[in-house]
Amino acid sequence: MSAKYSFYTLFLAGLFGWGCTGTLSNSPELQAVDQISYNFHIRPILSDKCFACHGPDANKREAGLRLDTETGAFEALKESPGKFALVAGDPNASEVYHRIISEDPSEQMPPPESNLKLLDSEIELIKKWIEQGAAYEPHWAFVRPEKKQIPEAPDWARNEIDHFTWKKMKEKGLEPNPEAEDYELIKRASLDLTGLPPSPEILERYQGFEGENTYEDLLNNLLSEQSFGEKLAILWLDISRYSDSYGYQDDNIRTQWPYRDWLIHAFNNNLPYDQFITWQLAGDLLPNPTKETILATAFNRNHKYTEEGGVIDEEYRIEYVLDKTNTFSTGVLGITMECAQCHDHKYDPFSQKEYFELFAFFNNSREKGFEGDVSVSKPAKTPILWVEQEDLGGILDFINHPDTSRLSISVMGELDEEEARTTYILDRGVYDAPTDPVNPSTPASILEFSDELPKNRLGLAQWATNKDNPLTARVFVNLIWQEIFGTGIVKSAGDFGMQGDLPSHPELLDWLAVDFMENGWDIKRLLKKILSSATYRQSAQITDRHLKTDPENVYLARAPRLRLPAENIQDLVLASSGLLVQKVGGPSVKPYQPDGIWEAATSGRGELAKYEQDTGESLYRRGIYNFIKLTVPPPKAIIFDASNRDRCEVGRGRTNTPLQALVMLNDPMVLEAARVLASELTNKHSDSEAAVEEAFKRILCRPMKDSEASLISDYFKDQLERFGSEPETIKPTLAVGEYPLQEEDINPRTAALMQVIVSLYNLEETITKI
């Protein structure tokens, strides 16, 4: 099936709702179920259509009716004595049912002007639910996960994951795909775990997975590579909103990159996730903090800072605390807590008071809102961790610093008890409108904050990593699943609340979350478990059955086809050409970028007023090390859907635009890589077919098919003839980038091979994980 056909099929599927994973109540299969579930059938309808006026927000609640709680829904109606919104078992006695079927505009609910009219199928579901007793259930995500009995599965299953996915496939009438070819699995695993393509030697070594060179051995080796931490760190850098500048108008340079180096180090050393979270939230408050645990708290300080003269210190200090609160709630808990900054949450059971109780944990940092304008700018803001030369050979030896100068990093530091601030609920969230004082605490609907915990960030970290907390493990396991399969078991990875998507495999999600905690919050073990499954090892071949039944691959009867992250597209090009400099860590680098972009933005002074491109090996570092200026993010990365890093993001979008093809055809890095690889292979192989074959294998990581070999051979001959007849075009074609061009390379054969390689880099399969 052609890619074009697949794209339009998926487009039509989305347009007409095939395979929709939003409000599941509309799917015909649910109309036939015997037992209606409040969580999976009714709550999505009420949340979409009713909770804005009859939900958690007391200030916006109409007629005193609350439908998001069982108590509220079964109380006598305040405006209609003797009537009840819901009467268990009796739709005709339930005012809710009368209102949703009414044709009278003055009585109809939702009101006609709201444009939230219920579908007939939704009305029938509500009616059937009331007939069955209108039983309420606590929101699934706020209930502690438990391991359910593992479903039975055939010999196809390789581990517990497959038992759960097989069950869903069978329910939908699907069969799993055959296992992918060896070279496909090697490439897929390498890209997933290291972000780099496998070398031809690795492909050869593991071909057939025979003897000692098993698939498990491949996974173990990939997990032990330094590049593993570089790959996984990209996910957390998006969550932690890491950048190399302060943002806002003046957008000056900062030195937060040692935090990025710590992150890579933590993943490579498999720091358990509960410690990983604890150090970042409160490494400075541990009983015996070290410079490493303090450095980890830079997680909280990656937000934007102002250096504009005349701003109000307290206004911006409050902005910074709000950002910390929202980043924690989104990135760690997977909830939209920020909605309660100005009022009670309209959909989830979070009050404005609870928001500022959570805010209170971050409100006693020694951080200031304004330390002076850009004329007195420093590369880190108070509180600062100073990294001395001796630290680089000691506990902070993972920091790759090129000289002996001291480094400063913005980290966390707590006010003394006598200096501690009182936290107030802020009216409408405005910094200068304090109302009632509050103490540090957490949303009761998730997990009560124990009196035995300290009321500071360390207590918050201990609450978050408590095994009774229903969210933390679920959210991280879901993020890792999203990294591998493109979509999380919960599609809305940053929203596990009422308006979020329901899990496609709820029992699998809970099993993985509990297993993760039971096994020491071991990240590498979790990844190995997923990559060892038969579900992961399927081929990505798409059939008509897939497109008809499951176009979005929710039920995982095939491997997904996913565009690589922007950083890894750069990595693949550089690695396959031999240009990649595999040095871990260090200051961010400035690779090729179109002229004048920073200057046109008019933000920044001094070092950031003009983009000064790096030279030498800095041009050939991995994409994770590219300099990120908040007001002008790297344009190539943004074109390939990278985060702009100005706020916490738990998932990137995926687009397909002509701009992406134009980048791959014209970007200096791609052209230079193609030229360098062409030069190497021309000198290595006297036979042009052998040179083309090796280029293909290094870029696509598989052997050519006969039909492909014929097409590429014809294209090479055309290009060879063109350069032979137009010798004046050879040098301009090859003279791209800073890597030295040798005189002996200036020939038609090298130029023709370069054009073939550029074409290979532009194949969709090259930058897609399948």
Side-chain angles (χ1 to χ4, degrees):
M1 179 177 296
S2 71
K4 181 177 179 181
Y5 178 77
S6 299
F7 171 79
Y8 281 109
T9 302
L10 291 172
F11 170 76
L12 291 171
L15 187 64
F16 293 109
W18 304 341
C20 176
T21 57
T23 302
L24 298 181
S25 56
N26 294 336
S27 81
E29 62 197 276
L30 292 185
Q31 312 309 313
V33 296
D34 294 328
Q35 185 64 41
I36 303 298
S37 163
Y38 173 74
N39 266 340
F40 285 86
H41 305 151
I42 303 303
R43 190 199 300 274
I45 302 172
L46 300 183
S47 186
D48 277 348
K49 308 293 177 68
C50 308
F51 284 179
C53 297
H54 303 292
D57 188 352
N59 293 324
K60 296 292 184 181
R61 198 173 297 143
E62 300 287 343
L65 173 60
R66 186 170 186 178
L67 290 175
D68 65 307
T69 67
E70 185 172 13
T71 300
F74 283 94
E75 285 180 344
L77 295 174
K78 295 179 181 179
E79 296 185 357
S80 303
K83 293 185 178 181
F84 296 83
L86 291 175
V87 176
D90 191 349
N92 292 324
S94 301
E95 191 66 15
V96 162
Y97 182 67
H98 281 293
R99 293 296 188 98
I100 64 177
I101 64 173
S102 174
E103 297 295 329
D104 183 347
S106 67
E107 291 191 352
Q108 191 180 92
M109 287 292 160
E113 62 270 18
S114 70
N115 294 318
L116 294 174
K117 183 176 175 61
L118 291 170
L119 302 175
D120 291 343
S121 59
E122 293 174 324
I123 293 172
E124 286 302 310
L125 275 173
I126 292 173
K127 180 183 180 183
K128 190 172 182 180
W129 173 63
I130 296 173
E131 289 173 342
Q132 293 179 355
Y136 272 69
E137 301 166 316
H139 183 51
W140 69 268
F142 300 158
V143 177
R144 176 181 172 173
E146 294 181 356
K147 280 186 172 180
K148 300 289 176 62
Q149 183 176 352
I150 298 173
E152 293 186 2
D155 292 341
W156 170 80
R158 291 180 176 271
N159 63 30
E160 298 88 345
I161 290 171
D162 304 320
H163 288 255
F164 292 101
T165 58
W166 173 269
K167 178 184 176 184
K168 279 289 184 181
M169 289 182 213
K170 297 308 291 182
E171 287 174 0
K172 309 303 174 186
L174 294 166
E175 294 285 342
N177 263 5
E179 184 163 295
E181 297 284 350
D182 296 342
Y183 56 79
E184 292 174 331
L185 279 178
I186 297 167
K187 179 184 180 183
R188 185 187 303 169
S190 183
L191 290 172
D192 276 335
L193 294 180
T194 71
L196 297 174
S199 66
E201 293 75 23
I202 293 295
L203 287 170
E204 185 68 27
R205 174 181 171 185
Y206 287 100
Q207 186 67 37
F209 296 123
E210 297 175 346
E212 296 181 355
N213 300 318
T214 62
Y215 180 69
E216 182 179 10
D217 181 64
L218 170 68
L219 296 184
N220 290 337
N221 286 338
L222 292 172
L223 288 166
S224 68
E225 294 284 345
Q226 290 290 299
S227 50
F228 167 77
E230 293 173 308
K231 167 62 168 67
L232 194 53
I234 294 172
L235 164 67
W236 204 260
L237 291 174
D238 285 358
I239 290 171
S240 64
R241 67 264 190 258
Y242 166 85
S243 71
D244 298 292
S245 72
Y246 284 125
Y248 293 111
Q249 178 62 28
D250 289 309
D251 201 19
N252 214 339
I253 196 169
R254 69 194 303 191
T255 55
Q256 290 295 92
W257 60 262
Y259 166 76
R260 182 244 291 136
D261 285 10
W262 174 82
L263 197 57
I264 295 168
H265 169 75
F267 283 131
N268 278 334
N269 284 273
N270 204 25
L271 186 67
Y273 186 67
D274 55 347
Q275 293 181 47
F276 179 79
I277 291 299
T278 299
W279 289 15
Q280 291 183 85
L281 289 176
D284 58 316
L285 299 179
L286 291 171
N288 297 295
T290 66
K291 283 198 171 183
E292 182 180 354
T293 63
I294 295 171
L295 172 57
T297 68
F299 166 80
N300 301 289
R301 302 291 306 283
N302 287 334
H303 51 73
K304 297 188 289 187
Y305 282 87
T306 184
E307 293 187 321
E308 301 171 40
V311 301
I312 299 171
D313 177 86
E314 182 65 3
E315 179 180 10
Y316 278 88
R317 192 192 69 80
I318 292 294
E319 284 296 317
Y320 306 156
V321 181
L322 292 171
D323 188 284
K324 293 175 179 62
T325 307
N326 297 340
T327 295
F328 168 73
S329 63
T330 301
V332 177
L333 300 181
I335 54 175
T336 57
M337 198 75 187
E338 67 271 21
C339 295
Q341 175 185 332
C342 302
H343 50 73
D344 292 348
H345 203 294
K346 291 189 179 297
Y347 303 101
D348 293 330
F350 309 139
S351 66
Q352 189 185 23
K353 177 177 181 288
E354 286 179 314
Y355 179 88
F356 281 98
E357 288 173 337
L358 188 62
F359 173 100
F361 286 107
F362 300 99
N363 197 31
N364 279 305
S365 168
R366 291 185 175 276
E367 176 177 42
K368 299 178 181 179
F370 180 66
E371 293 189 14
D373 65 24
V374 70
S375 67
V376 293
S377 179
K378 296 181 295 184
K381 303 294 184 183
T382 307
I384 291 171
L385 174 68
W386 291 98
V387 179
E388 312 290 347
Q389 184 61 29
E390 56 266 28
D391 298 321
L392 302 180
I395 196 166
L396 302 182
D397 62 352
F398 53 83
I399 295 179
N400 182 4
H401 195 241
D403 57 44
T404 58
S405 61
R406 300 171 81 202
L407 285 172
S408 58
I409 310 140
S410 298
V411 293
M412 294 296 281
E414 202 79 347
L415 292 173
D416 296 332
E417 189 173 340
E418 60 273 13
E419 301 174 288
R421 300 182 182 95
T422 299
T423 298
Y424 297 91
I425 299 173
L426 301 178
D427 186 29
R428 302 298 299 171
V430 179
Y431 78 97
D432 60 353
T435 59
D436 300 326
V438 294
N439 295 314
S441 191
T442 53
S445 58
I446 297 175
L447 179 67
E448 293 279 359
F449 191 81
S450 171
D451 291 336
E452 297 178 3
L453 295 175
K455 292 192 173 183
N456 57 22
R457 284 179 283 109
L458 183 57
L460 178 64
Q462 292 168 343
W463 172 86
T465 57
N466 187 308
K467 291 186 178 180
D468 286 334
N469 189 304
L471 289 173
T472 306
R474 272 190 180 122
V475 168
F476 185 71
V477 163
N478 191 64
L479 287 172
I480 293 297
W481 193 271
Q482 176 180 266
E483 280 289 289
I484 302 303
F485 290 101
T487 302
I489 296 174
V490 177
K491 186 176 181 180
S492 54
D495 186 1
F496 275 52
M498 311 292 186
Q499 287 293 91
D501 290 286
L502 295 167
S504 58
H505 299 73
E507 294 177 348
L508 171 59
L509 178 63
D510 285 4
W511 191 94
L512 286 171
V514 175
D515 189 65
F516 183 50
M517 292 187 285
E518 288 177 344
N519 288 279
W521 304 78
D522 188 324
I523 297 171
K524 287 188 177 182
R525 181 185 179 278
L526 170 63
L527 278 161
K528 186 176 178 182
K529 173 75 74 174
I530 295 172
L531 267 66
S532 297
S533 68
T535 305
Y536 176 82
R537 295 174 65 164
Q538 296 175 96
S539 78
Q541 181 180 356
I542 301 176
T543 66
D544 290 339
R545 178 71 172 169
H546 291 144
L547 290 175
K548 180 180 180 181
T549 305
D550 187 18
E552 295 183 11
N553 199 25
V554 173
Y555 303 111
L556 302 169
R558 64 185 187 275
R561 302 174 65 93
L562 302 172
R563 174 74 52 80
L564 297 179
E567 295 88 344
N568 294 155
I569 292 175
Q570 174 174 324
D571 300 342
L572 183 147
V573 171
L574 292 175
S576 59
S577 70
L579 278 174
L580 183 66
V581 175
Q582 294 199 46
K583 180 172 71 174
V584 177
S588 297
V589 297
K590 301 186 182 76
Y592 301 117
Q593 181 169 292
D595 293 335
I597 292 182
W598 282 16
E599 295 84 341
T602 69
S603 64
R605 302 184 188 179
E607 291 186 67
L608 292 193
K610 183 178 181 181
Y611 187 81
E612 297 288 348
Q613 178 188 301
D614 282 333
T615 58
E617 69 173 22
S618 294
L619 291 173
Y620 312 116
R621 300 289 305 282
R622 293 196 66 170
I624 189 176
Y625 302 114
N626 288 352
F627 192 98
I628 296 178
K629 182 179 182 181
L630 285 175
T631 55
V632 193
K636 181 170 64 177
I638 295 301
I639 286 171
F640 282 101
D641 305 314
S643 166
N644 61 13
R645 297 283 174 78
D646 65 347
R647 63 192 298 273
C648 171
E649 289 191 26
V650 296
R652 297 182 178 184
R654 287 190 177 88
T655 62
N656 191 0
T657 76
L659 286 176
Q660 294 164 346
L662 290 172
V663 167
M664 295 302 292
L665 283 168
N666 297 284
D667 182 66
M669 180 203 70
V670 176
L671 298 179
E672 182 178 30
R675 187 256 293 179
V676 171
L677 181 55
S679 173
E680 176 191 340
L681 296 181
T682 300
N683 293 325
K684 180 179 178 180
H685 298 284
S686 58
D687 179 9
S688 295
E689 289 187 4
V692 169
E693 185 175 348
E694 182 171 343
F696 189 98
K697 196 165 189 178
R698 284 172 66 160
I699 295 170
L700 276 81
C701 307
R702 65 171 176 83
M704 281 191 293
K705 299 173 184 175
D706 291 343
S707 58
E708 293 168 332
S710 177
L711 285 171
I712 293 173
S713 177
D714 289 346
Y715 181 62
F716 174 79
K717 291 174 183 176
D718 288 345
Q719 294 301 302
L720 188 64
E721 181 179 343
R722 176 170 77 88
F723 285 114
S725 62
E726 301 174 3
E728 71 280 1
T729 64
I730 296 175
K731 187 169 184 178
T733 298
L734 295 171
V736 59
E738 295 208 354
Y739 198 85
L741 174 62
Q742 306 298 326
E743 282 297 321
E744 60 267 25
D745 293 329
I746 304 175
N747 59 71
R749 189 163 172 256
T750 302
L753 185 56
M754 175 184 171
Q755 298 306 300
V756 169
I757 292 170
V758 169
S759 298
L760 294 178
Y761 281 136
N762 274 275
L763 288 178
E764 179 68 15
E765 183 185 340
T766 299
I767 58 174
T768 300
K769 178 176 73 74
I770 59 174

